[in-house]
Amino acid sequence: MDQSRAPFLDAVAAYHRADRYGFTPPAHRRGAGVDPRVRDVLGADSFRSDLLASGGVDDRSSSHGYLTDAENLMADAVGARSAFFSTCGSSLSVKAAMMAVAGNDPGGLLVARDSHKSIVAGLIFSGVAPRWIAPRWDTDLHLAHPPSPDRVRRAWEENPDAAGALVVSPSPYGTCADIAGIAEVCHERGKPLIVDEAWGAHLPFHDDLPTWAMDAGADICVVSVHKMGAGFEQGSVYHVQGDLVDDRHVAMCADLLMTTSPNVLVYAAMDGWRRQMAQHGAEILGAALAVADRARRDIEAVAGLEVMDEELIGAEASHELDHLQVLIDVSATGATGYACADWLRREHRLDVGLSDHRRILATFSLADTRETATRLIRALRELPSAAADFSEAPRIDLLDPADLSLRTVMTPRDAFFGETECIPAARAVGRVAAEQITPYPPGIPAVVPGEELSEGVIDYLTTGVAAGMNIPDAADTSLETFRVVR
Protein backbone atom coordinates (compact mmCIF):
# COMPACT_ATOMS: atom_id res chain seq x y z
CA MET A 1 0.00 0.00 0.00
CA ASP A 2 1.06 3.56 -0.61
CA GLN A 3 2.29 4.70 2.80
CA SER A 4 2.73 8.27 1.58
CA ARG A 5 -1.05 8.68 1.82
CA ALA A 6 -2.99 9.93 4.86
CA PRO A 7 -6.61 9.56 3.70
CA PHE A 8 -8.40 10.67 6.85
CA LEU A 9 -6.13 13.67 7.38
CA ASP A 10 -6.54 14.58 3.71
CA ALA A 11 -10.32 14.33 4.08
CA VAL A 12 -10.22 16.91 6.89
CA ALA A 13 -8.20 19.21 4.62
CA ALA A 14 -10.73 18.67 1.81
CA TYR A 15 -13.58 19.57 4.18
CA HIS A 16 -11.96 22.93 4.83
CA ARG A 17 -11.24 23.57 1.16
CA ALA A 18 -14.87 22.85 0.26
CA ASP A 19 -16.06 25.47 2.77
CA ARG A 20 -18.69 23.12 4.16
CA TYR A 21 -21.02 24.24 6.92
CA GLY A 22 -22.98 21.86 9.11
CA PHE A 23 -26.23 22.42 10.94
CA THR A 24 -25.04 19.57 13.12
CA PRO A 25 -22.86 19.10 16.16
CA PRO A 26 -20.41 20.37 17.26
CA ALA A 27 -22.45 23.40 18.22
CA HIS A 28 -19.41 25.70 18.37
CA ARG A 29 -19.33 25.73 14.52
CA ARG A 30 -15.58 25.33 14.03
CA GLY A 31 -14.90 27.71 16.89
CA ALA A 32 -17.17 30.57 15.86
CA GLY A 33 -19.26 30.26 19.00
CA VAL A 34 -16.40 29.72 21.44
CA ASP A 35 -15.79 32.29 24.17
CA PRO A 36 -12.70 34.27 23.06
CA ARG A 37 -11.18 33.66 26.49
CA VAL A 38 -11.33 29.94 25.80
CA ARG A 39 -10.08 30.31 22.24
CA ASP A 40 -7.11 32.40 23.42
CA VAL A 41 -5.95 29.52 25.61
CA LEU A 42 -6.81 26.49 23.48
CA GLY A 43 -6.22 28.05 20.05
CA ALA A 44 -8.63 28.55 17.18
CA ASP A 45 -7.29 25.61 15.15
CA SER A 46 -8.22 23.07 17.82
CA PHE A 47 -11.87 24.01 17.26
CA ARG A 48 -11.59 24.50 13.51
CA SER A 49 -10.98 20.79 12.91
CA ASP A 50 -13.34 19.51 15.59
CA LEU A 51 -15.84 18.04 13.11
CA LEU A 52 -18.29 15.20 12.76
CA ALA A 53 -16.68 12.04 11.37
CA SER A 54 -19.87 10.82 9.66
CA GLY A 55 -22.08 13.53 8.21
CA GLY A 56 -19.15 15.90 8.22
CA VAL A 57 -15.68 14.73 7.13
CA ASP A 58 -17.37 11.82 5.34
CA ASP A 59 -21.02 11.65 4.28
CA ARG A 60 -23.76 10.27 6.51
CA SER A 61 -23.09 6.66 5.47
CA SER A 62 -19.28 7.06 5.39
CA SER A 63 -19.37 5.92 1.79
CA HIS A 64 -15.89 7.27 1.00
CA GLY A 65 -14.34 4.97 3.62
CA TYR A 66 -11.72 7.46 4.78
CA LEU A 67 -11.43 5.88 8.24
CA THR A 68 -11.35 2.31 6.93
CA ASP A 69 -8.67 3.30 4.43
CA ALA A 70 -6.58 4.86 7.22
CA GLU A 71 -6.97 1.75 9.38
CA ASN A 72 -5.91 -0.52 6.50
CA LEU A 73 -2.81 1.59 5.95
CA MET A 74 -1.97 1.31 9.66
CA ALA A 75 -2.30 -2.48 9.53
CA ASP A 76 -0.08 -2.63 6.46
CA ALA A 77 2.54 -0.37 8.05
CA VAL A 78 2.98 -2.63 11.09
CA GLY A 79 2.36 -6.04 9.54
CA ALA A 80 -1.03 -6.79 11.12
CA ARG A 81 -4.02 -8.27 9.31
CA SER A 82 -6.31 -5.52 10.48
CA ALA A 83 -6.24 -2.39 12.63
CA PHE A 84 -9.00 -0.41 14.31
CA PHE A 85 -8.82 3.16 15.60
CA SER A 86 -10.30 4.18 18.93
CA THR A 87 -10.72 7.71 20.27
CA CYS A 88 -11.42 6.40 23.79
CA GLY A 89 -7.90 5.26 24.64
CA SER A 90 -6.45 1.81 25.10
CA SER A 91 -8.64 1.52 28.18
CA LEU A 92 -11.49 0.88 25.72
CA SER A 93 -9.48 -1.16 23.24
CA VAL A 94 -8.26 -3.66 25.80
CA LYS A 95 -11.78 -4.12 27.19
CA ALA A 96 -13.03 -4.89 23.69
CA ALA A 97 -10.26 -7.45 23.23
CA MET A 98 -11.07 -9.11 26.56
CA MET A 99 -14.77 -9.32 25.73
CA ALA A 100 -14.10 -10.69 22.25
CA VAL A 101 -11.85 -13.47 23.56
CA ALA A 102 -13.47 -14.38 26.87
CA GLY A 103 -16.90 -12.76 27.05
CA ASN A 104 -19.42 -15.24 28.52
CA ASP A 105 -16.76 -17.97 28.65
CA PRO A 106 -16.93 -19.92 31.95
CA GLY A 107 -13.23 -20.72 31.72
CA GLY A 108 -12.29 -17.07 32.27
CA LEU A 109 -9.14 -15.38 31.03
CA LEU A 110 -5.52 -15.74 32.09
CA VAL A 111 -4.49 -12.26 33.21
CA ALA A 112 -1.10 -11.07 34.42
CA ARG A 113 -1.59 -9.76 37.97
CA ASP A 114 0.58 -6.73 37.15
CA SER A 115 -2.04 -5.51 34.67
CA HIS A 116 -3.23 -1.92 34.39
CA LYS A 117 -6.38 -0.83 36.20
CA SER A 118 -8.22 -0.53 32.87
CA ILE A 119 -7.95 -4.31 32.52
CA VAL A 120 -9.44 -4.82 35.96
CA ALA A 121 -12.19 -2.41 34.95
CA GLY A 122 -12.79 -4.68 31.96
CA LEU A 123 -13.16 -7.66 34.29
CA ILE A 124 -15.72 -5.73 36.34
CA PHE A 125 -17.61 -4.52 33.30
CA SER A 126 -17.68 -7.85 31.42
CA GLY A 127 -17.95 -10.29 34.29
CA VAL A 128 -15.00 -12.28 32.92
CA ALA A 129 -13.35 -14.29 35.69
CA PRO A 130 -9.60 -13.62 36.01
CA ARG A 131 -7.23 -16.58 36.26
CA TRP A 132 -4.21 -14.73 37.58
CA ILE A 133 -0.70 -15.19 36.23
CA ALA A 134 1.54 -14.62 39.25
CA PRO A 135 3.98 -11.70 38.90
CA ARG A 136 7.74 -12.11 39.16
CA TRP A 137 8.57 -9.93 42.13
CA ASP A 138 12.11 -8.54 42.33
CA THR A 139 12.86 -8.33 46.05
CA ASP A 140 16.00 -6.23 45.46
CA LEU A 141 14.40 -3.64 43.19
CA HIS A 142 10.91 -3.85 44.66
CA LEU A 143 9.11 -4.03 41.33
CA ALA A 144 7.30 -6.69 39.32
CA HIS A 145 8.79 -8.01 36.10
CA PRO A 146 6.51 -9.15 33.25
CA PRO A 147 5.51 -12.83 33.42
CA SER A 148 7.81 -15.37 31.82
CA PRO A 149 6.67 -18.09 29.39
CA ASP A 150 7.11 -20.63 32.21
CA ARG A 151 4.78 -18.65 34.46
CA VAL A 152 2.20 -18.53 31.68
CA ARG A 153 2.61 -22.26 31.07
CA ARG A 154 1.95 -22.99 34.74
CA ALA A 155 -1.13 -20.78 34.64
CA TRP A 156 -2.43 -22.76 31.67
CA GLU A 157 -1.79 -26.03 33.48
CA GLU A 158 -3.82 -24.77 36.43
CA ASN A 159 -6.58 -23.29 34.21
CA PRO A 160 -6.74 -25.36 31.00
CA ASP A 161 -10.25 -24.16 30.15
CA ALA A 162 -9.38 -20.45 30.06
CA ALA A 163 -10.38 -18.73 26.82
CA GLY A 164 -7.05 -16.98 26.28
CA ALA A 165 -4.28 -15.01 27.96
CA LEU A 166 -3.56 -11.32 28.46
CA VAL A 167 -0.21 -9.80 29.39
CA VAL A 168 1.09 -6.24 29.61
CA SER A 169 4.32 -5.43 27.77
CA PRO A 170 6.10 -3.03 27.94
CA SER A 171 5.49 -2.40 31.61
CA PRO A 172 5.26 1.20 32.85
CA TYR A 173 8.97 0.89 33.67
CA GLY A 174 9.85 0.06 30.04
CA THR A 175 10.55 -3.63 30.73
CA CYS A 176 9.23 -6.17 28.23
CA ALA A 177 8.05 -9.75 28.32
CA ASP A 178 9.19 -12.60 26.08
CA ILE A 179 6.12 -12.25 23.87
CA ALA A 180 7.28 -14.84 21.34
CA GLY A 181 7.75 -17.43 24.09
CA ILE A 182 4.38 -16.62 25.67
CA ALA A 183 2.60 -16.71 22.29
CA GLU A 184 4.08 -20.14 21.62
CA VAL A 185 2.78 -21.43 24.95
CA CYS A 186 -0.71 -20.10 24.19
CA HIS A 187 -0.78 -21.37 20.61
CA GLU A 188 0.26 -24.88 21.69
CA ARG A 189 -3.20 -24.96 23.24
CA GLY A 190 -4.94 -23.24 20.36
CA LYS A 191 -5.68 -20.20 22.54
CA PRO A 192 -5.16 -16.52 21.64
CA LEU A 193 -2.79 -14.07 23.28
CA ILE A 194 -3.78 -10.45 23.93
CA VAL A 195 -0.93 -8.01 24.56
CA ASP A 196 -1.65 -4.68 26.20
CA GLU A 197 1.19 -2.83 24.50
CA ALA A 198 -0.08 0.63 25.40
CA TRP A 199 3.50 1.87 25.84
CA GLY A 200 4.68 0.32 22.57
CA ALA A 201 3.09 2.10 19.61
CA HIS A 202 6.57 3.04 18.36
CA LEU A 203 8.07 -0.45 18.54
CA PRO A 204 7.41 -1.57 14.93
CA PHE A 205 9.38 1.33 13.50
CA HIS A 206 12.96 0.81 14.73
CA ASP A 207 15.10 -2.33 15.01
CA ASP A 208 16.80 -1.21 18.24
CA LEU A 209 13.50 -1.10 20.11
CA PRO A 210 11.97 -4.17 21.80
CA THR A 211 10.13 -6.73 19.72
CA TRP A 212 6.74 -5.64 18.38
CA ALA A 213 3.95 -7.91 19.67
CA MET A 214 2.58 -8.68 16.21
CA ASP A 215 6.02 -9.76 15.04
CA ALA A 216 6.26 -11.99 18.10
CA GLY A 217 2.99 -13.77 17.35
CA ALA A 218 0.38 -12.02 19.49
CA ASP A 219 -3.18 -12.36 18.22
CA ILE A 220 -4.44 -8.98 19.46
CA CYS A 221 -2.22 -6.05 20.33
CA VAL A 222 -3.44 -2.78 21.82
CA VAL A 223 -1.33 0.40 21.58
CA SER A 224 -1.76 3.98 22.76
CA VAL A 225 -0.54 6.35 20.07
CA HIS A 226 -0.49 9.29 22.48
CA LYS A 227 1.94 7.59 24.88
CA MET A 228 4.92 7.05 22.56
CA GLY A 229 3.73 8.44 19.23
CA ALA A 230 2.63 11.82 17.91
CA GLY A 231 -1.09 11.59 18.59
CA PHE A 232 -3.61 13.29 20.82
CA GLU A 233 -4.54 11.89 24.22
CA GLN A 234 -7.02 9.00 23.94
CA GLY A 235 -5.73 7.87 20.54
CA SER A 236 -5.50 4.07 20.48
CA VAL A 237 -5.19 1.31 17.89
CA TYR A 238 -5.83 -2.38 18.31
CA HIS A 239 -4.34 -4.80 15.82
CA VAL A 240 -5.50 -8.33 14.99
CA GLN A 241 -3.88 -11.26 13.20
CA GLY A 242 -4.02 -15.06 13.04
CA ASP A 243 -7.00 -17.40 12.91
CA LEU A 244 -7.87 -17.54 16.63
CA VAL A 245 -9.74 -14.22 16.79
CA ASP A 246 -12.61 -12.93 14.66
CA ASP A 247 -11.85 -9.36 13.58
CA ARG A 248 -15.50 -8.41 13.24
CA HIS A 249 -16.37 -9.77 16.68
CA VAL A 250 -13.63 -7.61 18.20
CA ALA A 251 -15.01 -4.59 16.31
CA MET A 252 -18.53 -5.35 17.53
CA CYS A 253 -17.30 -5.53 21.13
CA ALA A 254 -15.54 -2.19 20.68
CA ASP A 255 -18.74 -0.71 19.26
CA LEU A 256 -20.54 -1.60 22.51
CA LEU A 257 -18.09 0.57 24.42
CA MET A 258 -17.09 3.29 22.00
CA THR A 259 -18.53 6.77 21.81
CA THR A 260 -20.87 7.56 18.94
CA SER A 261 -19.18 10.97 18.74
CA PRO A 262 -15.54 10.11 17.93
CA ASN A 263 -13.02 12.93 17.90
CA VAL A 264 -11.88 13.70 14.36
CA LEU A 265 -8.70 15.36 15.65
CA VAL A 266 -7.67 12.06 17.25
CA TYR A 267 -8.37 10.04 14.10
CA ALA A 268 -6.54 12.48 11.84
CA ALA A 269 -3.49 12.69 14.09
CA MET A 270 -3.14 8.89 14.20
CA ASP A 271 -3.40 8.71 10.42
CA GLY A 272 -0.73 11.38 10.00
CA TRP A 273 1.56 9.80 12.60
CA ARG A 274 1.38 6.43 10.83
CA ARG A 275 2.49 8.09 7.58
CA GLN A 276 5.34 9.85 9.40
CA MET A 277 6.55 6.58 10.94
CA ALA A 278 6.20 4.56 7.75
CA GLN A 279 8.26 7.11 5.83
CA HIS A 280 10.74 8.37 8.41
CA GLY A 281 10.29 6.33 11.59
CA ALA A 282 13.71 4.67 11.63
CA GLU A 283 15.48 8.02 11.29
CA ILE A 284 13.28 9.87 13.81
CA LEU A 285 13.36 7.14 16.44
CA GLY A 286 17.06 6.57 15.92
CA ALA A 287 17.67 10.20 16.79
CA ALA A 288 15.43 9.90 19.86
CA LEU A 289 17.31 6.80 21.04
CA ALA A 290 20.60 8.66 20.67
CA VAL A 291 19.27 11.55 22.79
CA ALA A 292 18.02 9.13 25.45
CA ASP A 293 21.29 7.16 25.51
CA ARG A 294 23.33 10.35 25.96
CA ALA A 295 20.95 11.44 28.73
CA ARG A 296 21.35 8.07 30.45
CA ARG A 297 25.14 8.53 30.59
CA ASP A 298 24.87 12.10 31.84
CA ILE A 299 22.37 11.19 34.57
CA GLU A 300 24.39 8.16 35.63
CA ALA A 301 27.32 10.53 36.23
CA VAL A 302 25.34 12.44 38.89
CA ALA A 303 26.34 11.27 42.37
CA GLY A 304 23.36 9.78 44.19
CA LEU A 305 21.42 8.89 41.02
CA GLU A 306 21.44 5.52 39.30
CA VAL A 307 19.97 4.85 35.88
CA MET A 308 18.50 1.36 35.88
CA ASP A 309 19.45 -0.66 32.86
CA GLU A 310 21.09 -4.08 32.77
CA GLU A 311 19.77 -5.04 36.21
CA LEU A 312 16.28 -5.02 34.70
CA ILE A 313 17.16 -7.71 32.15
CA GLY A 314 17.88 -11.38 32.82
CA ALA A 315 16.64 -14.94 32.98
CA GLU A 316 14.48 -14.20 36.01
CA ALA A 317 13.83 -10.58 35.14
CA SER A 318 12.56 -8.88 31.99
CA HIS A 319 13.27 -9.98 28.44
CA GLU A 320 13.92 -6.60 26.78
CA LEU A 321 14.06 -2.92 27.73
CA ASP A 322 12.83 0.17 25.92
CA HIS A 323 15.75 2.59 26.31
CA LEU A 324 13.48 5.59 25.74
CA GLN A 325 12.18 4.91 29.25
CA VAL A 326 14.86 6.29 31.58
CA LEU A 327 14.25 4.86 35.04
CA ILE A 328 16.24 6.62 37.77
CA ASP A 329 16.80 5.24 41.26
CA VAL A 330 16.96 8.19 43.67
CA SER A 331 17.12 6.19 46.92
CA ALA A 332 20.77 7.12 47.57
CA THR A 333 19.67 10.74 48.00
CA GLY A 334 17.57 9.70 51.00
CA ALA A 335 14.42 10.97 49.31
CA THR A 336 11.47 9.12 47.83
CA GLY A 337 10.62 9.27 44.16
CA TYR A 338 7.41 11.06 45.15
CA ALA A 339 9.34 13.89 46.81
CA CYS A 340 11.79 14.15 43.91
CA ALA A 341 8.99 14.33 41.35
CA ASP A 342 7.27 17.06 43.36
CA TRP A 343 10.55 19.02 43.62
CA LEU A 344 11.19 18.80 39.87
CA ARG A 345 7.71 20.17 39.17
CA ARG A 346 7.88 22.88 41.81
CA GLU A 347 11.41 24.12 41.29
CA HIS A 348 12.09 23.39 37.62
CA ARG A 349 8.61 23.12 36.06
CA LEU A 350 9.46 19.61 34.87
CA ASP A 351 7.09 16.66 35.12
CA VAL A 352 8.05 12.99 35.12
CA GLY A 353 5.72 10.23 34.09
CA LEU A 354 6.09 7.94 37.07
CA SER A 355 7.34 8.09 40.62
CA ASP A 356 7.35 5.51 43.39
CA HIS A 357 8.99 5.01 46.75
CA ARG A 358 12.53 5.03 45.27
CA ARG A 359 12.39 5.91 41.56
CA ILE A 360 11.35 8.46 38.98
CA LEU A 361 10.85 7.74 35.29
CA ALA A 362 11.67 10.16 32.47
CA THR A 363 10.00 9.06 29.25
CA PHE A 364 11.79 10.26 26.12
CA SER A 365 9.97 10.42 22.79
CA LEU A 366 10.46 11.20 19.13
CA ALA A 367 9.98 14.89 19.98
CA ASP A 368 12.84 15.17 22.47
CA THR A 369 16.13 16.80 21.57
CA ARG A 370 19.46 17.42 23.21
CA GLU A 371 18.04 20.75 24.41
CA THR A 372 15.08 19.20 26.21
CA ALA A 373 17.32 16.51 27.68
CA THR A 374 19.77 19.16 28.93
CA ARG A 375 16.97 20.89 30.80
CA LEU A 376 16.24 17.66 32.67
CA ILE A 377 19.91 16.88 33.34
CA ARG A 378 20.59 20.34 34.76
CA ALA A 379 17.70 19.91 37.17
CA LEU A 380 18.82 16.42 38.17
CA ARG A 381 22.33 17.68 38.93
CA GLU A 382 20.77 19.93 41.58
CA LEU A 383 18.55 17.20 43.00
CA PRO A 384 20.95 15.37 45.36
CA SER A 385 21.93 18.53 47.24
CA ALA A 386 18.33 19.75 47.32
CA ALA A 387 17.15 16.37 48.61
CA ALA A 388 19.32 16.80 51.71
CA ASP A 389 16.89 19.54 52.79
CA PHE A 390 13.71 17.58 52.10
CA SER A 391 11.57 16.64 55.07
CA GLU A 392 12.40 13.18 56.34
CA ALA A 393 10.59 10.64 54.21
CA PRO A 394 7.90 8.73 56.07
CA ARG A 395 8.51 5.00 56.31
CA ILE A 396 6.75 2.80 53.75
CA ASP A 397 6.04 -0.82 54.68
CA LEU A 398 7.10 -2.41 51.40
CA LEU A 399 5.26 -5.44 50.14
CA ASP A 400 6.44 -8.90 51.03
CA PRO A 401 6.20 -11.35 48.09
CA ALA A 402 3.59 -13.27 50.07
CA ASP A 403 1.29 -10.23 49.83
CA LEU A 404 1.50 -9.94 46.06
CA SER A 405 -1.06 -12.65 45.37
CA LEU A 406 -4.07 -11.88 47.51
CA ARG A 407 -6.61 -14.69 47.74
CA THR A 408 -9.44 -14.28 45.23
CA VAL A 409 -12.76 -14.93 46.94
CA MET A 410 -15.24 -13.50 44.40
CA THR A 411 -15.16 -12.29 40.82
CA PRO A 412 -14.31 -8.60 40.50
CA ARG A 413 -17.79 -7.91 39.10
CA ASP A 414 -19.66 -9.65 41.93
CA ALA A 415 -17.59 -7.86 44.57
CA PHE A 416 -17.82 -4.43 42.97
CA PHE A 417 -21.59 -4.56 42.49
CA GLY A 418 -22.41 -6.46 45.68
CA GLU A 419 -23.62 -5.10 48.99
CA THR A 420 -20.78 -3.12 50.52
CA GLU A 421 -19.76 -1.08 53.52
CA CYS A 422 -16.83 1.17 54.42
CA ILE A 423 -14.87 0.15 57.51
CA PRO A 424 -11.74 1.51 59.24
CA ALA A 425 -8.41 0.27 57.90
CA ALA A 426 -7.66 -1.39 61.25
CA ARG A 427 -10.66 -3.70 60.78
CA ALA A 428 -10.17 -4.45 57.07
CA VAL A 429 -7.76 -7.40 57.34
CA GLY A 430 -9.47 -10.55 56.13
CA ARG A 431 -12.36 -8.70 54.48
CA VAL A 432 -13.12 -8.90 50.75
CA ALA A 433 -12.37 -5.71 48.82
CA ALA A 434 -15.17 -4.11 46.83
CA GLU A 435 -12.98 -1.51 45.10
CA GLN A 436 -9.82 -1.14 43.09
CA ILE A 437 -6.97 0.40 45.05
CA THR A 438 -4.32 1.59 42.65
CA PRO A 439 -1.09 3.53 43.18
CA TYR A 440 -1.14 5.89 40.19
CA PRO A 441 1.05 6.12 38.29
CA PRO A 442 1.87 3.43 37.25
CA GLY A 443 -1.75 2.32 37.57
CA ILE A 444 -1.30 -1.32 38.61
CA PRO A 445 -3.91 -2.19 41.26
CA ALA A 446 -2.51 -3.36 44.57
CA VAL A 447 -6.02 -4.58 45.39
CA VAL A 448 -8.66 -5.90 43.00
CA PRO A 449 -12.35 -6.22 43.91
CA GLY A 450 -13.00 -9.73 45.16
CA GLU A 451 -9.59 -10.16 46.81
CA GLU A 452 -9.14 -10.75 50.53
CA LEU A 453 -7.25 -7.88 52.14
CA SER A 454 -4.07 -8.81 53.99
CA GLU A 455 -2.32 -6.93 56.76
CA GLY A 456 0.76 -6.53 54.57
CA VAL A 457 -1.00 -4.87 51.66
CA ILE A 458 -3.02 -2.59 53.96
CA ASP A 459 0.16 -1.47 55.72
CA TYR A 460 1.89 -0.89 52.37
CA LEU A 461 -0.94 1.26 51.05
CA THR A 462 -1.61 3.29 54.19
CA THR A 463 2.07 4.02 54.80
CA GLY A 464 2.49 4.74 51.08
CA VAL A 465 -0.26 7.36 51.14
CA ALA A 466 1.41 8.99 54.13
CA ALA A 467 4.65 9.15 52.11
CA GLY A 468 3.04 10.70 49.03
CA MET A 469 1.57 7.77 47.09
CA ASN A 470 -1.44 8.78 44.97
CA ILE A 471 -4.52 6.51 45.17
CA PRO A 472 -7.15 8.14 42.95
CA ASP A 473 -9.68 5.31 42.63
CA ALA A 474 -10.35 4.31 46.24
CA ALA A 475 -13.68 5.30 47.75
CA ASP A 476 -11.67 6.99 50.52
CA THR A 477 -8.44 8.26 48.95
CA SER A 478 -6.94 8.81 52.42
CA LEU A 479 -7.34 5.04 53.02
CA GLU A 480 -8.54 5.68 56.52
CA THR A 481 -11.41 3.41 55.47
CA PHE A 482 -11.74 0.57 52.97
CA ARG A 483 -14.80 -0.37 50.92
CA VAL A 484 -15.50 -4.07 51.46
CA VAL A 485 -18.20 -6.63 50.71
CA ARG A 486 -20.79 -6.70 53.47
Side-chain angles (χ1 to χ4, degrees), residues 94-336:
V94 75
K95 292 180 181 71
M98 294 166 66
M99 291 167 61
V101 168
N104 208 34
D105 192 305
L109 181 70
L110 299 187
V111 180
R113 185 54 185 83
D114 62 342
S115 293
H116 190 265
K117 62 175 292 181
S118 61
I119 292 171
V120 175
L123 297 172
I124 295 169
F125 179 86
S126 66
V128 169
R131 312 302 183 196
W132 297 118
I133 305 169
R136 293 188 293 169
W137 184 248
D138 192 317
T139 54
D140 293 328
L141 301 178
H142 290 281
L143 56 76
H145 294 289
S148 67
D150 285 342
R151 293 262 174 144
V152 176
R153 187 182 302 278
R154 287 201 294 272
W156 276 118
E157 290 169 352
E158 295 167 1
N159 303 279
D161 295 328
L166 189 161
V167 299
V168 178
S169 179
S171 75
Y173 295 100
T175 55
C176 300
D178 180 358
I179 299 298
I182 293 172
E184 182 178 354
V185 170
C186 294
H187 294 163
E188 287 172 358
R189 292 156 176 79
K191 301 295 180 74
L193 172 64
I194 305 167
V195 178
D196 180 349
E197 202 167 53
W199 285 98
H202 58 314
L203 299 185
F205 300 109
H206 198 284
D207 291 341
D208 290 338
L209 290 167
T211 306
W212 163 235
M214 291 280 100
D215 290 344
D219 299 277
I220 304 178
C221 173
V222 174
V223 302
S224 294
V225 173
H226 63 274
K227 281 187 168 69
M228 297 301 291
F232 287 107
E233 287 290 311
Q234 298 181 208
S236 173
V237 185
Y238 60 91
H239 306 272
V240 183
Q241 66 179 3
D243 57 5
L244 297 176
V245 178
D246 180 350
D247 303 43
R248 291 310 308 162
H249 186 49
V250 181
M252 290 169 67
C253 289
D255 186 62
L256 294 175
L257 303 169
M258 191 162 173
T259 177
T260 55
S261 303
N263 190 309
V264 160
L265 291 163
V266 177
Y267 280 156
M270 288 193 288
D271 189 28
W273 172 77
R274 180 270 316 154
R275 177 176 63 182
Q276 179 188 29
M277 287 294 98
Q279 293 182 314
H280 310 295
E283 175 187 353
I284 292 170
L285 290 169
L289 284 164
V291 169
D293 286 344
R294 172 72 181 275
R296 284 172 170 271
R297 294 193 298 271
D298 289 345
I299 297 167
E300 184 71 33
V302 178
L305 303 183
E306 180 185 359
V307 176
M308 304 182 70
D309 197 328
E310 296 304 320
E311 62 268 46
L312 296 171
I313 307 297
E316 289 303 319
S318 300
H319 185 67
E320 294 177 286
L321 179 67
D322 181 356
H323 281 81
L324 291 176
Q325 303 282 18
V326 181
L327 186 61
I328 306 163
D329 190 326
V330 299
S331 57
T333 68
T336 65

Side-chain angles (χ1 to χ4, degrees), residues 339-413:
C340 292
D342 291 345
W343 178 84
L344 284 168
R345 178 175 171 83
R346 183 177 63 250
E347 300 298 330
H348 289 274
R349 302 177 302 283
L350 291 171
D351 294 313
V352 292
L354 180 151
S355 57
D356 64 18
H357 67 286
R358 63 184 284 183
R359 289 170 285 258
I360 57 175
L361 178 74
T363 298
F364 282 73
S365 82
L366 76 170
D368 281 301
T369 63
R370 183 60 187 161
E371 288 70 29
T372 63
T374 298
R375 182 176 175 185
L376 173 66
I377 292 159
R378 285 173 178 164
L380 291 174
R381 285 173 178 156
E382 297 177 18
L383 175 60
S385 59
D389 296 326
F390 291 178
S391 299
E392 183 177 356
R395 175 186 57 83
I396 302 176
D397 291 338
L398 297 174
L399 282 171
D400 184 275
D403 291 312
L404 289 174
S405 299
L406 298 177
R407 188 168 75 94
T408 299
V409 178
M410 305 170 64
T411 67
R413 181 183 179 89

Side-chain angles (χ1 to χ4, degrees), residues 451-466:
E451 291 182 333
E452 184 178 276
L453 293 162
S454 70
E455 182 177 6
V457 79
I458 290 173
D459 288 347
Y460 164 66
L461 290 167
T462 53
T463 58
V465 167

